Amino acid sequence: MEYEAVIGLEVHVQLKTDSKMFTRAASRFGEPPNSLTNPVVMGLPGTLPVMNKAAIELSIQTGLLFGCRIAEVCKWDRKNYFYPDQPKNYQISQYDQPICIGGEVEIELPGPARNIMGEHRMVQLTRIHLEEDVGKLTHFENESLVDFNRAGIPLLEIVTEPDLHSAEEVSAFLHAIRLHMVYVGLSDCDMEKGQMRCDANVSVRPVGSDTLGTRTEMKNLNSIAGSRDSVAFEIQRQSRLLEKGGQVVQETRRWNAEQGYTVALRSKEEAHDYRYFPDPDLMPVKISPAMLDRLAREIPERPYDRQRRFLEDYGLPFSTASVLCLDRQLADFFEEAVSAHDKPLEIGNLVANDLLRELSSSAGQGGGKMSKLLIKPGQIAELVKLVEDGVISKQIAQDIFPEMFHTGRTPSLIVEEKGLRQSTDAAEIESVCARVIAENPKPVEEFRTGNQKAINALKGGVMKATRGKANPAMVDQILRKLLA
Ligand code: ADP
Ligand code: MG
């Protein structure tokens, strides 16, 4: 029998706010353990939660970004459980009235090659609710440590319908969530820092069946590759089990990333009963149409829509369009340069290749940020124009790019100062050509006996001797004349 996989994800994403969800304690990563706490975070008697408006706004924007219906009223519930990551013994969450309902996320599957776009489709969401993150436990052989810096950070839970059908789609979905949230500035989604975590629910069923099979759940997957691989493993394990006449048991399983398998952790019978009830310390939240309007106006063109526009309007190759649209500031930079000089292909190349290369190689020195760029879009436009007008060669343009990047000086200035203008002085080029011909009898002989390609060695010699400044078309013409 053929089996089909059915997967639903619950993705936790920390929102990018200055302070925590229900108190002013700072929300930051990488501080000394337990330094970002206060009596509210520690759940001391007599403290009261106060809502963080920015977190609510970012949640609404997430919902708008993914086409959710935004609740007119949402409310807070206590999710009760006893565990050392949560000193209050309950987590403030949203049970039956979440902030966002429904929605869909566009995913992009990998194409058959880097330069060919893969399939796109929409994945249906069930809901998105807002809650507070809990502390982080680290277990050692004989003891466990807890860090409450993470406790209380505003945390979104994005829940999908059982609408994903392969490990590749799981990977594409997580990439899409991260792309959209980072693009709009809602979260940094750094999985290594725990800012995005994934629970995967996996079941299989005979192809053609429309009832759901029994599912297992893998919790707290902390990388996209791990999520993909654990789902792939689970699909295969369940299919083999059913093929052998066995039955899938509903349970939570742990992903062993080092060894690449899942193992049973606890069964559904041991599942928590959280005894949810409305939090008496917090009022329900009313979201006004005016607030919705204001937040909707701040939602930019979505990255995959922008990618489609870049392909259609600018005729960019897919690899360039997709790289540019991974980063809102990078795509803005590109469009600003194109508006200064309408040569999207050349500008796209410089931005997607040269600019990104310089950015990543200076990342270690703290210079690798789009927001701190010295180089201006207009200067890239100017560089392309200098090549187009024959003032400098393509090679010189490439050569001076790093200096433009590191100093923010205009290409014209650098070209003048270093005397890099392309030479179109026929007499000067001819004398260099004659010298190169005299010094290289072998390619000369080869060319004269019919090997057309041998002229390239001579051209190379001339470009080297002129430090790339000779006009290549003139070099070709003059060499041929002298060799005739
Ligand atoms: P829980 O309360 O245990 O987290 P939910 O009903 O809220 O369970 O579902 C959690 C996630 O599991 C959702 O993403 C949902 O789409 C998915 N899911 C539910 N049933 C199945 C199933 N049989 N197979 C795959 N995914 C499922
Ligand atoms: Mg669950």
Side-chain angles (χ1 to χ4, degrees), residues 32 72 81 98 112 129 132 168 170 181 183 185 223 226 229 242 264 295 312 318 348 352 357 366 373 404 449 466:
E72 282 163 35
Y81 67 93
H129 63 258
E132 53 177 346
E168 282 63 44
V170 165
M181 303 284 296
Y183 188 92
S223 73
D229 295 347
L242 295 185
L295 294 171
E312 283 163 26
F318 172 73
R357 186 189 55 238
L373 276 191
M404 292 172 60
T449 54
T466 58

Side-chain angles (χ1 to χ4, degrees), residues 325-338:
C325 296
L326 288 178
D327 183 318
R328 183 176 174 183
Q329 286 176 292
L330 193 70
D332 288 347
F333 186 98
F334 163 79
E335 291 210 90
E336 220 179 303
V338 172

Side-chain angles (χ1 to χ4, degrees), residues 32 77 143 172 174 213 227 238 261 273 321 329 341 361 426 469 474:
D77 299 282
E143 59 194 358
L174 294 173
S227 307
Q238 293 183 14
Y261 62 84
D273 172 4
Q329 286 176 292
H341 185 56
S361 69
K469 290 190 307 186
M474 288 177 70

Side-chain angles (χ1 to χ4, degrees), residues 403-465:
E403 181 168 348
M404 292 172 60
F405 176 88
H406 288 290
T407 64
R409 298 169 76 218
T410 69
S412 321
L413 207 69
I414 298 172
V415 166
E416 288 317 322
E417 217 175 73
K418 303 207 154 159
L420 295 173
R421 261 176 186 281
Q422 188 161 263
S423 166
T424 49
D425 179 335
E428 189 188 326
I429 294 177
E430 185 159 337
S431 85
V432 178
C433 286
R435 199 178 76 225
V436 169
I437 286 173
E439 287 167 359
N440 295 281
K442 203 166 155 244
V444 169
E445 176 63 24
E446 284 172 12
F447 180 75
R448 287 199 167 124
T449 54
N451 179 1
Q452 287 292 318
K453 280 190 187 146
I455 198 169
N456 292 336
L458 300 171
K459 277 190 210 166
V462 176
M463 293 318 274
K464 201 171 161 201

Side-chain angles (χ1 to χ4, degrees), residues 6-10 159-162 201-203 212-213 215 217 268:
V6 178
I7 304 141
L9 300 179
E10 297 156 278
V159 184
T160 78
E161 289 289 288
N201 297 269
V202 179
S203 65
L212 292 172
R215 68 173 148 139
E217 178 171 20
K268 194 69 188 174

Side-chain angles (χ1 to χ4, degrees), residues 221-238:
L221 298 163
N222 58 10
S223 73
I224 293 184
S227 307
R228 180 197 61 209
D229 295 347
S230 64
V231 166
F233 179 92
E234 203 44 30
I235 293 170
Q236 198 177 61
R237 186 189 69 85
Q238 293 183 14

